[in-house]
Amino acid sequence: MTMPDPDPDPETETGRPPRLIYLLTTAQRRLEAWIERDAKGMTAARIGLLLAVPTEGGVAMSALARLLDLGAPSLTGLVDRMTKSGLVRRVPDPEDGRSALVELTDEGRATRHEVILRAKDVNRQLCEGFTEEEIAVVGRWLQAVRNRYAP
């Protein structure tokens, strides 16, 4: 039995503005769950990492942590899991012998290509029913929220 949406259309039904935090949070959870159902065992975090690592060369863990908004322990665990899956590997950083870079394996590059195609399809679906101007406003708003609350 599905529960009714606690706030189906707050603007029209109550005269108050939409509960943006609630809508943003639940939309993110639902979108991630939907993507993961069709992603052959890939989680949103794994997908994000595949997209963040360049197709050629490696990237420092610190740069990945900033890009993905992850703490060092979370990123380390994610990279460890993806290393075991054969999607990425750690290689010595030629400029800093104490550090390692994360790079894609051949399997990681192939999976990344699949992920990009899927992401384009999801983005297309997300835009259905909206004008380019409406999508531009949503994009600008999401970027502003991301920047305003950056760590």
Side-chain angles (χ1 to χ4, degrees), residues 71-133:
S74 296
L75 180 62
T76 298
L78 177 61
V79 170
D80 288 346
R81 289 186 297 280
M82 291 183 69
T83 298
K84 287 178 186 167
S85 297
L87 298 172
V88 300
R89 66 179 155 249
R90 288 184 176 93
V91 296
D93 184 340
E95 296 178 18
D96 182 356
R98 301 166 295 157
S99 298
L101 302 177
V102 177
E103 67 178 20
L104 296 173
T105 62
D106 290 340
E107 184 179 349
R109 275 189 282 286
T111 304
R112 183 181 194 274
H113 178 71
E114 293 173 25
V115 164
I116 288 171
L117 294 176
R118 181 70 176 131
K120 286 179 181 180
D121 186 46
V122 171
N123 276 322
R124 181 192 51 75
Q125 291 177 42
L126 287 171
C127 294
E128 285 177 0
F130 297 95
T131 66
E132 288 183 26
E133 293 79 18

Short mmCIF file of all heavy atoms in Angstrom, two decimals, residues 71-133:
data_model
loop_
_atom_site.label_atom_id
_atom_site.label_comp_id
_atom_site.label_asym_id
_atom_site.label_seq_id
_atom_site.Cartn_x
_atom_site.Cartn_y
_atom_site.Cartn_z
N GLY A 71 33.72 12.79 2.05
CA GLY A 71 34.83 12.81 2.98
C GLY A 71 35.84 11.74 2.58
O GLY A 71 35.52 10.80 1.85
N ALA A 72 37.05 11.87 3.09
CA ALA A 72 38.13 10.94 2.74
C ALA A 72 37.76 9.48 3.05
O ALA A 72 37.97 8.61 2.20
CB ALA A 72 39.42 11.34 3.44
N PRO A 73 37.20 9.17 4.23
CA PRO A 73 36.87 7.77 4.50
C PRO A 73 35.82 7.20 3.53
O PRO A 73 35.96 6.07 3.07
CB PRO A 73 36.32 7.78 5.93
CG PRO A 73 36.87 9.03 6.54
CD PRO A 73 36.97 10.01 5.42
N SER A 74 34.82 7.99 3.21
CA SER A 74 33.79 7.53 2.28
C SER A 74 34.37 7.30 0.89
O SER A 74 34.07 6.29 0.23
CB SER A 74 32.64 8.54 2.18
OG SER A 74 31.98 8.66 3.41
N LEU A 75 35.20 8.23 0.44
CA LEU A 75 35.81 8.10 -0.88
C LEU A 75 36.74 6.89 -0.92
O LEU A 75 36.74 6.13 -1.89
CB LEU A 75 36.56 9.36 -1.28
CG LEU A 75 37.21 9.29 -2.65
CD1 LEU A 75 36.15 9.10 -3.75
CD2 LEU A 75 38.04 10.52 -2.92
N THR A 76 37.52 6.70 0.13
CA THR A 76 38.44 5.55 0.17
C THR A 76 37.66 4.25 0.05
O THR A 76 38.04 3.35 -0.72
CB THR A 76 39.28 5.57 1.46
OG1 THR A 76 40.07 6.77 1.46
CG2 THR A 76 40.19 4.37 1.56
N GLY A 77 36.57 4.13 0.79
CA GLY A 77 35.75 2.92 0.71
C GLY A 77 35.16 2.72 -0.67
O GLY A 77 35.13 1.59 -1.19
N LEU A 78 34.70 3.80 -1.28
CA LEU A 78 34.13 3.73 -2.62
C LEU A 78 35.19 3.28 -3.63
O LEU A 78 34.95 2.38 -4.45
CB LEU A 78 33.55 5.09 -3.02
CG LEU A 78 32.96 5.22 -4.42
CD1 LEU A 78 31.80 4.26 -4.62
CD2 LEU A 78 32.52 6.67 -4.66
N VAL A 79 36.37 3.88 -3.57
CA VAL A 79 37.45 3.50 -4.49
C VAL A 79 37.87 2.05 -4.24
O VAL A 79 38.10 1.30 -5.19
CB VAL A 79 38.65 4.48 -4.37
CG1 VAL A 79 39.86 3.96 -5.12
CG2 VAL A 79 38.26 5.86 -4.88
N ASP A 80 37.93 1.63 -2.98
CA ASP A 80 38.27 0.24 -2.68
C ASP A 80 37.26 -0.72 -3.32
O ASP A 80 37.65 -1.72 -3.94
CB ASP A 80 38.29 -0.01 -1.17
CG ASP A 80 39.49 0.62 -0.48
OD1 ASP A 80 40.45 1.02 -1.17
OD2 ASP A 80 39.45 0.72 0.77
N ARG A 81 35.97 -0.42 -3.18
CA ARG A 81 34.93 -1.29 -3.75
C ARG A 81 35.01 -1.33 -5.28
O ARG A 81 34.85 -2.38 -5.90
CB ARG A 81 33.54 -0.85 -3.28
CG ARG A 81 33.28 -1.13 -1.81
CD ARG A 81 31.86 -0.84 -1.39
NE ARG A 81 31.46 0.55 -1.53
CZ ARG A 81 31.74 1.52 -0.66
NH1 ARG A 81 32.46 1.25 0.42
NH2 ARG A 81 31.33 2.75 -0.87
N MET A 82 35.26 -0.17 -5.86
CA MET A 82 35.34 -0.12 -7.32
C MET A 82 36.62 -0.75 -7.85
O MET A 82 36.65 -1.27 -8.97
CB MET A 82 35.18 1.32 -7.81
CG MET A 82 33.75 1.81 -7.56
SD MET A 82 33.45 3.46 -8.18
CE MET A 82 33.53 3.21 -9.94
N THR A 83 37.68 -0.73 -7.05
CA THR A 83 38.91 -1.43 -7.40
C THR A 83 38.65 -2.94 -7.42
O THR A 83 39.04 -3.64 -8.36
CB THR A 83 40.04 -1.07 -6.43
OG1 THR A 83 40.29 0.33 -6.51
CG2 THR A 83 41.33 -1.83 -6.75
N LYS A 84 37.97 -3.43 -6.40
CA LYS A 84 37.64 -4.86 -6.34
C LYS A 84 36.73 -5.27 -7.50
O LYS A 84 36.80 -6.40 -7.97
CB LYS A 84 36.96 -5.19 -5.01
CG LYS A 84 37.91 -5.18 -3.83
CD LYS A 84 37.19 -5.46 -2.54
CE LYS A 84 38.16 -5.30 -1.38
NZ LYS A 84 37.49 -5.27 -0.09
N SER A 85 35.90 -4.35 -7.97
CA SER A 85 35.02 -4.63 -9.11
C SER A 85 35.74 -4.52 -10.45
O SER A 85 35.16 -4.82 -11.49
CB SER A 85 33.84 -3.64 -9.12
OG SER A 85 33.06 -3.78 -7.97
N GLY A 86 36.98 -4.05 -10.43
CA GLY A 86 37.77 -3.95 -11.65
C GLY A 86 37.47 -2.73 -12.49
O GLY A 86 37.83 -2.67 -13.67
N LEU A 87 36.84 -1.70 -11.90
CA LEU A 87 36.49 -0.49 -12.65
C LEU A 87 37.54 0.60 -12.58
O LEU A 87 37.67 1.40 -13.50
CB LEU A 87 35.13 0.04 -12.18
CG LEU A 87 33.95 -0.91 -12.37
CD1 LEU A 87 32.71 -0.36 -11.69
CD2 LEU A 87 33.71 -1.16 -13.85
N VAL A 88 38.26 0.66 -11.46
CA VAL A 88 39.33 1.66 -11.29
C VAL A 88 40.54 0.97 -10.67
O VAL A 88 40.46 -0.15 -10.18
CB VAL A 88 38.90 2.86 -10.40
CG1 VAL A 88 37.71 3.60 -10.99
CG2 VAL A 88 38.61 2.41 -8.98
N ARG A 89 41.66 1.68 -10.69
CA ARG A 89 42.86 1.22 -10.01
C ARG A 89 43.60 2.44 -9.47
O ARG A 89 43.43 3.54 -9.97
CB ARG A 89 43.75 0.40 -10.94
CG ARG A 89 44.35 1.19 -12.07
CD ARG A 89 45.25 0.33 -12.97
NE ARG A 89 45.30 0.92 -14.29
CZ ARG A 89 44.78 0.40 -15.38
NH1 ARG A 89 44.17 -0.77 -15.32
NH2 ARG A 89 44.86 1.02 -16.52
N ARG A 90 44.41 2.19 -8.46
CA ARG A 90 45.28 3.24 -7.93
C ARG A 90 46.65 3.08 -8.58
O ARG A 90 47.16 1.97 -8.70
CB ARG A 90 45.40 3.11 -6.42
CG ARG A 90 44.17 3.50 -5.65
CD ARG A 90 44.46 3.42 -4.15
NE ARG A 90 43.34 3.87 -3.36
CZ ARG A 90 42.40 3.07 -2.88
NH1 ARG A 90 42.43 1.78 -3.12
NH2 ARG A 90 41.43 3.55 -2.14
N VAL A 91 47.21 4.22 -8.97
CA VAL A 91 48.56 4.23 -9.54
C VAL A 91 49.37 5.29 -8.81
O VAL A 91 48.81 6.28 -8.33
CB VAL A 91 48.54 4.51 -11.07
CG1 VAL A 91 47.81 3.39 -11.81
CG2 VAL A 91 47.92 5.84 -11.38
N PRO A 92 50.69 5.12 -8.72
CA PRO A 92 51.51 6.14 -8.04
C PRO A 92 51.40 7.49 -8.75
O PRO A 92 51.36 7.57 -9.97
CB PRO A 92 52.93 5.59 -8.16
CG PRO A 92 52.78 4.14 -8.48
CD PRO A 92 51.47 3.99 -9.20
N ASP A 93 51.36 8.53 -7.95
CA ASP A 93 51.34 9.89 -8.49
C ASP A 93 52.78 10.24 -8.87
O ASP A 93 53.66 10.29 -8.01
CB ASP A 93 50.81 10.87 -7.44
CG ASP A 93 50.68 12.29 -7.95
OD1 ASP A 93 51.33 12.64 -8.96
OD2 ASP A 93 49.92 13.07 -7.33
N PRO A 94 53.04 10.50 -10.16
CA PRO A 94 54.42 10.78 -10.57
C PRO A 94 54.98 12.07 -9.97
O PRO A 94 56.20 12.22 -9.89
CB PRO A 94 54.33 10.88 -12.10
CG PRO A 94 52.89 11.10 -12.41
CD PRO A 94 52.10 10.54 -11.28
N GLU A 95 54.11 12.96 -9.53
CA GLU A 95 54.58 14.22 -8.95
C GLU A 95 54.70 14.19 -7.44
O GLU A 95 55.28 15.08 -6.84
CB GLU A 95 53.64 15.35 -9.38
CG GLU A 95 53.65 15.59 -10.89
CD GLU A 95 52.69 16.67 -11.30
OE1 GLU A 95 52.26 17.47 -10.45
OE2 GLU A 95 52.36 16.72 -12.50
N ASP A 96 54.10 13.18 -6.81
CA ASP A 96 54.13 13.07 -5.35
C ASP A 96 54.17 11.59 -4.99
O ASP A 96 53.12 10.92 -5.00
CB ASP A 96 52.91 13.75 -4.73
CG ASP A 96 52.91 13.72 -3.22
OD1 ASP A 96 53.83 13.11 -2.62
OD2 ASP A 96 51.99 14.31 -2.62
N GLY A 97 55.33 11.09 -4.69
CA GLY A 97 55.52 9.68 -4.41
C GLY A 97 54.71 9.16 -3.23
O GLY A 97 54.54 7.96 -3.07
N ARG A 98 54.22 10.05 -2.38
CA ARG A 98 53.43 9.63 -1.22
C ARG A 98 51.97 9.44 -1.56
O ARG A 98 51.21 8.89 -0.78
CB ARG A 98 53.54 10.67 -0.09
CG ARG A 98 54.97 10.90 0.39
CD ARG A 98 55.06 12.15 1.23
NE ARG A 98 54.76 13.30 0.39
CZ ARG A 98 54.33 14.48 0.80
NH1 ARG A 98 54.15 14.69 2.09
NH2 ARG A 98 54.08 15.45 -0.05
N SER A 99 51.55 9.90 -2.73
CA SER A 99 50.13 9.88 -3.10
C SER A 99 49.88 8.93 -4.26
O SER A 99 50.79 8.54 -4.98
CB SER A 99 49.68 11.28 -3.53
OG SER A 99 49.82 12.19 -2.47
N ALA A 100 48.62 8.61 -4.42
CA ALA A 100 48.20 7.78 -5.54
C ALA A 100 47.12 8.51 -6.33
O ALA A 100 46.41 9.38 -5.80
CB ALA A 100 47.66 6.45 -5.04
N LEU A 101 47.03 8.16 -7.60
CA LEU A 101 45.97 8.67 -8.45
C LEU A 101 44.99 7.53 -8.72
O LEU A 101 45.36 6.36 -8.68
CB LEU A 101 46.55 9.16 -9.79
CG LEU A 101 47.61 10.25 -9.72
CD1 LEU A 101 48.13 10.56 -11.13
CD2 LEU A 101 47.07 11.50 -9.06
N VAL A 102 43.76 7.90 -8.99
CA VAL A 102 42.75 6.92 -9.36
C VAL A 102 42.55 7.04 -10.86
O VAL A 102 42.38 8.14 -11.39
CB VAL A 102 41.41 7.18 -8.63
CG1 VAL A 102 40.34 6.20 -9.08
CG2 VAL A 102 41.61 7.12 -7.12
N GLU A 103 42.62 5.90 -11.54
CA GLU A 103 42.38 5.91 -12.99
C GLU A 103 41.43 4.78 -13.35
O GLU A 103 41.28 3.80 -12.62
CB GLU A 103 43.68 5.84 -13.78
CG GLU A 103 44.42 4.54 -13.67
CD GLU A 103 45.69 4.51 -14.52
OE1 GLU A 103 46.21 5.58 -14.89
OE2 GLU A 103 46.16 3.39 -14.79
N LEU A 104 40.77 4.94 -14.49
CA LEU A 104 39.84 3.93 -14.98
C LEU A 104 40.60 2.76 -15.60
O LEU A 104 41.64 2.94 -16.22
CB LEU A 104 38.93 4.53 -16.06
CG LEU A 104 37.98 5.64 -15.62
CD1 LEU A 104 37.27 6.24 -16.83
CD2 LEU A 104 36.96 5.13 -14.61
N THR A 105 40.05 1.57 -15.42
CA THR A 105 40.55 0.40 -16.13
C THR A 105 39.82 0.36 -17.49
O THR A 105 38.91 1.18 -17.74
CB THR A 105 40.22 -0.88 -15.35
OG1 THR A 105 38.80 -0.99 -15.24
CG2 THR A 105 40.86 -0.87 -13.97
N ASP A 106 40.18 -0.59 -18.33
CA ASP A 106 39.46 -0.74 -19.60
C ASP A 106 37.98 -1.00 -19.34
O ASP A 106 37.10 -0.44 -19.99
CB ASP A 106 40.06 -1.87 -20.44
CG ASP A 106 41.44 -1.52 -20.99
OD1 ASP A 106 41.76 -0.31 -21.06
OD2 ASP A 106 42.18 -2.44 -21.36
N GLU A 107 37.70 -1.86 -18.36
CA GLU A 107 36.30 -2.14 -18.00
C GLU A 107 35.62 -0.89 -17.47
O GLU A 107 34.46 -0.63 -17.75
CB GLU A 107 36.24 -3.27 -16.96
CG GLU A 107 34.83 -3.68 -16.61
CD GLU A 107 34.75 -4.81 -15.60
OE1 GLU A 107 35.77 -5.44 -15.30
OE2 GLU A 107 33.64 -5.05 -15.10
N GLY A 108 36.35 -0.09 -16.71
CA GLY A 108 35.81 1.16 -16.19
C GLY A 108 35.47 2.14 -17.30
O GLY A 108 34.44 2.81 -17.26
N ARG A 109 36.34 2.22 -18.31
CA ARG A 109 36.06 3.11 -19.46
C ARG A 109 34.82 2.66 -20.21
O ARG A 109 33.99 3.47 -20.61
CB ARG A 109 37.27 3.17 -20.39
CG ARG A 109 38.30 4.20 -19.97
CD ARG A 109 39.37 4.40 -21.03
NE ARG A 109 40.36 3.32 -21.03
CZ ARG A 109 41.31 3.18 -20.12
NH1 ARG A 109 41.42 4.06 -19.14
NH2 ARG A 109 42.16 2.18 -20.18
N ALA A 110 34.68 1.34 -20.41
CA ALA A 110 33.50 0.82 -21.11
C ALA A 110 32.24 1.09 -20.30
O ALA A 110 31.21 1.51 -20.85
CB ALA A 110 33.66 -0.68 -21.38
N THR A 111 32.32 0.88 -19.00
CA THR A 111 31.17 1.13 -18.13
C THR A 111 30.84 2.61 -18.10
O THR A 111 29.67 3.00 -18.12
CB THR A 111 31.45 0.59 -16.71
OG1 THR A 111 31.78 -0.80 -16.81
CG2 THR A 111 30.25 0.78 -15.80
N ARG A 112 31.87 3.45 -18.08
CA ARG A 112 31.67 4.90 -18.10
C ARG A 112 30.90 5.32 -19.35
O ARG A 112 30.00 6.14 -19.29
CB ARG A 112 33.02 5.63 -18.04
CG ARG A 112 32.92 7.13 -17.98
CD ARG A 112 34.34 7.74 -17.94
NE ARG A 112 34.32 9.13 -17.57
CZ ARG A 112 34.15 10.13 -18.43
NH1 ARG A 112 33.98 9.88 -19.71
NH2 ARG A 112 34.15 11.37 -18.01
N HIS A 113 31.26 4.73 -20.48
CA HIS A 113 30.58 5.04 -21.73
C HIS A 113 29.08 4.69 -21.62
O HIS A 113 28.22 5.48 -22.01
CB HIS A 113 31.23 4.29 -22.89
CG HIS A 113 30.56 4.51 -24.20
ND1 HIS A 113 30.63 5.71 -24.88
CD2 HIS A 113 29.77 3.70 -24.94
CE1 HIS A 113 29.92 5.62 -25.99
NE2 HIS A 113 29.38 4.41 -26.05
N GLU A 114 28.78 3.51 -21.07
CA GLU A 114 27.38 3.10 -20.87
C GLU A 114 26.66 4.07 -19.93
O GLU A 114 25.50 4.42 -20.16
CB GLU A 114 27.32 1.68 -20.29
CG GLU A 114 27.78 0.60 -21.21
CD GLU A 114 27.85 -0.75 -20.52
OE1 GLU A 114 27.12 -0.97 -19.53
OE2 GLU A 114 28.63 -1.60 -20.97
N VAL A 115 27.35 4.48 -18.87
CA VAL A 115 26.76 5.39 -17.89
C VAL A 115 26.44 6.74 -18.53
O VAL A 115 25.39 7.32 -18.27
CB VAL A 115 27.73 5.56 -16.68
CG1 VAL A 115 27.37 6.76 -15.84
CG2 VAL A 115 27.74 4.30 -15.84
N ILE A 116 27.33 7.23 -19.39
CA ILE A 116 27.08 8.51 -20.06
C ILE A 116 25.85 8.42 -20.95
O ILE A 116 25.00 9.32 -20.94
CB ILE A 116 28.33 8.95 -20.86
CG1 ILE A 116 29.42 9.40 -19.89
CG2 ILE A 116 27.99 10.07 -21.83
CD1 ILE A 116 30.76 9.65 -20.53
N LEU A 117 25.73 7.33 -21.69
CA LEU A 117 24.54 7.16 -22.54
C LEU A 117 23.27 7.12 -21.70
O LEU A 117 22.26 7.74 -22.03
CB LEU A 117 24.66 5.88 -23.38
CG LEU A 117 25.77 5.86 -24.42
CD1 LEU A 117 25.82 4.49 -25.11
CD2 LEU A 117 25.58 6.98 -25.44
N ARG A 118 23.33 6.41 -20.58
CA ARG A 118 22.17 6.32 -19.68
C ARG A 118 21.86 7.68 -19.06
O ARG A 118 20.69 8.07 -18.95
CB ARG A 118 22.44 5.28 -18.60
CG ARG A 118 21.32 5.09 -17.64
CD ARG A 118 20.15 4.39 -18.30
NE ARG A 118 19.14 4.16 -17.29
CZ ARG A 118 17.86 4.46 -17.46
NH1 ARG A 118 17.43 4.95 -18.58
NH2 ARG A 118 17.01 4.24 -16.48
N ALA A 119 22.88 8.42 -18.67
CA ALA A 119 22.68 9.73 -18.06
C ALA A 119 22.01 10.69 -19.05
O ALA A 119 21.13 11.47 -18.68
CB ALA A 119 24.00 10.31 -17.57
N LYS A 120 22.42 10.63 -20.31
CA LYS A 120 21.79 11.48 -21.32
C LYS A 120 20.32 11.15 -21.46
O LYS A 120 19.47 12.04 -21.59
CB LYS A 120 22.50 11.33 -22.66
CG LYS A 120 23.85 12.00 -22.71
CD LYS A 120 24.53 11.81 -24.05
CE LYS A 120 25.89 12.48 -24.06
NZ LYS A 120 26.57 12.32 -25.35
N ASP A 121 19.99 9.86 -21.41
CA ASP A 121 18.60 9.43 -21.50
C ASP A 121 17.81 9.92 -20.28
O ASP A 121 16.69 10.42 -20.42
CB ASP A 121 18.53 7.91 -21.62
CG ASP A 121 17.12 7.42 -21.87
OD1 ASP A 121 16.42 7.99 -22.74
OD2 ASP A 121 16.70 6.46 -21.19
N VAL A 122 18.38 9.78 -19.10
CA VAL A 122 17.71 10.24 -17.88
C VAL A 122 17.50 11.75 -17.93
O VAL A 122 16.42 12.25 -17.61
CB VAL A 122 18.49 9.82 -16.62
CG1 VAL A 122 17.91 10.48 -15.37
CG2 VAL A 122 18.49 8.31 -16.47
N ASN A 123 18.52 12.50 -18.35
CA ASN A 123 18.38 13.96 -18.46
C ASN A 123 17.27 14.34 -19.43
O ASN A 123 16.49 15.25 -19.17
CB ASN A 123 19.70 14.60 -18.88
CG ASN A 123 20.61 14.84 -17.71
OD1 ASN A 123 20.19 15.21 -16.63
ND2 ASN A 123 21.88 14.60 -17.93
N ARG A 124 17.20 13.61 -20.53
CA ARG A 124 16.13 13.87 -21.50
C ARG A 124 14.76 13.65 -20.86
O ARG A 124 13.86 14.46 -20.98
CB ARG A 124 16.29 12.97 -22.74
CG ARG A 124 15.24 13.20 -23.81
CD ARG A 124 15.24 12.13 -24.88
NE ARG A 124 15.20 10.76 -24.39
CZ ARG A 124 14.11 10.17 -23.89
NH1 ARG A 124 12.98 10.81 -23.79
NH2 ARG A 124 14.16 8.91 -23.46
N GLN A 125 14.63 12.54 -20.12
CA GLN A 125 13.37 12.24 -19.45
C GLN A 125 13.02 13.29 -18.40
O GLN A 125 11.85 13.66 -18.25
CB GLN A 125 13.42 10.86 -18.81
CG GLN A 125 13.46 9.72 -19.81
CD GLN A 125 13.58 8.38 -19.14
OE1 GLN A 125 12.94 8.13 -18.13
NE2 GLN A 125 14.42 7.51 -19.70
N LEU A 126 14.03 13.76 -17.68
CA LEU A 126 13.78 14.78 -16.65
C LEU A 126 13.27 16.09 -17.25
O LEU A 126 12.54 16.84 -16.60
CB LEU A 126 15.07 15.06 -15.86
CG LEU A 126 15.51 13.97 -14.89
CD1 LEU A 126 16.90 14.27 -14.36
CD2 LEU A 126 14.51 13.82 -13.76
N CYS A 127 13.66 16.36 -18.48
CA CYS A 127 13.28 17.62 -19.14
C CYS A 127 11.93 17.54 -19.85
O CYS A 127 11.38 18.59 -20.24
CB CYS A 127 14.36 18.04 -20.13
SG CYS A 127 15.92 18.47 -19.33
N GLU A 128 11.40 16.34 -20.02
CA GLU A 128 10.14 16.19 -20.74
C GLU A 128 9.03 17.00 -20.07
O GLU A 128 8.87 16.97 -18.86
CB GLU A 128 9.73 14.72 -20.80
CG GLU A 128 10.53 13.91 -21.79
CD GLU A 128 10.16 12.43 -21.79
OE1 GLU A 128 9.28 12.00 -21.04
OE2 GLU A 128 10.80 11.70 -22.58
N GLY A 129 8.30 17.72 -20.89
CA GLY A 129 7.17 18.49 -20.39
C GLY A 129 7.53 19.88 -19.90
O GLY A 129 6.66 20.60 -19.41
N PHE A 130 8.78 20.26 -20.02
CA PHE A 130 9.22 21.57 -19.57
C PHE A 130 9.87 22.32 -20.73
O PHE A 130 10.51 21.72 -21.58
CB PHE A 130 10.23 21.46 -18.42
CG PHE A 130 9.65 20.83 -17.18
CD1 PHE A 130 9.79 19.48 -16.95
CD2 PHE A 130 8.94 21.60 -16.27
CE1 PHE A 130 9.25 18.87 -15.83
CE2 PHE A 130 8.38 21.01 -15.14
CZ PHE A 130 8.53 19.65 -14.92
N THR A 131 9.72 23.64 -20.73
CA THR A 131 10.35 24.44 -21.77
C THR A 131 11.83 24.61 -21.46
O THR A 131 12.28 24.39 -20.32
CB THR A 131 9.72 25.84 -21.86
OG1 THR A 131 10.02 26.55 -20.64
CG2 THR A 131 8.20 25.77 -22.07
N GLU A 132 12.60 25.03 -22.45
CA GLU A 132 14.03 25.29 -22.24
C GLU A 132 14.23 26.35 -21.17
O GLU A 132 15.16 26.27 -20.37
CB GLU A 132 14.70 25.71 -23.54
CG GLU A 132 14.86 24.58 -24.53
CD GLU A 132 15.58 25.01 -25.80
OE1 GLU A 132 16.38 25.98 -25.76
OE2 GLU A 132 15.35 24.37 -26.83
N GLU A 133 13.34 27.35 -21.16
CA GLU A 133 13.45 28.42 -20.16
C GLU A 133 13.21 27.88 -18.75
O GLU A 133 13.91 28.26 -17.81
CB GLU A 133 12.45 29.55 -20.47
CG GLU A 133 12.75 30.32 -21.74
CD GLU A 133 12.30 29.60 -23.02
OE1 GLU A 133 11.46 28.67 -22.94
OE2 GLU A 133 12.81 29.97 -24.10
#
